[in-house]
Amino acid sequence: MTQNVFPTFRYSDAPAAIRWLKETLGFEELHVYENDDGTIAHAELVIAGDVIMLGSARADAPPTPSTTYVALDDVDSLHERAAAAGGNPSELSEQDYGSRDFSIEDPGGNRWSFGTYRPQLD
């Protein structure tokens, strides 16, 4: 079975969070991409065959400690549907790592991101 739903997290000290997740809970690093300033642009950790994604909190983004990311083949149709339903999704964007994605907040204030990128367990 392919994983399509990925919990994602933002940390004020993502390197420390990665160490804690590995040492305390047994996660393993799949990918870690650092920014020039030592913060984490994007990381993927695996436990029990499933991937979580995380990164450093960003000053230009709203303070959401966690997001659920869903990998889909056709994000354009979902974006259109969400907009038509009054959901106020972000603009669709092309990411430098090849994903086409958007995000939206649900009525409870939870952030959801939908994109074409799928982390791969190699």
Side-chain angles (χ1 to χ4, degrees):
M1 181 181 289
T2 302
Q3 181 178 346
N4 291 304
V5 179
F6 302 88
T8 61
F9 306 91
R10 292 279 177 194
Y11 293 96
S12 58
D13 187 347
I18 290 170
R19 282 191 303 277
W20 187 90
L21 289 164
K22 289 169 50 180
E23 293 170 6
T24 306
L25 300 179
F27 279 85
E28 296 177 23
E29 286 183 20
L30 188 57
H31 302 287
V32 176
Y33 303 100
E34 291 186 13
N35 292 310
D36 292 337
D37 64 2
T39 59
I40 303 299
H42 177 78
E44 298 169 11
L45 304 180
V46 63
I47 190 167
D50 287 322
V51 176
I52 65 165
M53 299 187 292
L54 64 94
S56 294
R58 298 183 348 223
D60 66 338
T64 53
S66 66
T67 300
T68 300
Y69 174 80
V70 181
L72 300 172
D73 293 328
D74 182 9
V75 296
D76 292 78
S77 294
L78 181 58
H79 184 270
E80 185 177 308
R81 176 184 176 157
N88 197 28
S90 69
E91 295 294 320
L92 280 164
S93 60
E94 300 289 337
Q95 302 300 326
D96 58 1
Y97 50 87
S99 185
R100 181 164 174 78
D101 55 34
F102 75 94
S103 62
I104 189 168
E105 191 172 290
D106 71 18
N110 301 297
R111 172 90 31 211
W112 292 81
S113 293
F114 297 88
T116 57
Y117 174 75
R118 281 184 171 82
Q120 299 295 312
L121 291 172
D122 297 324

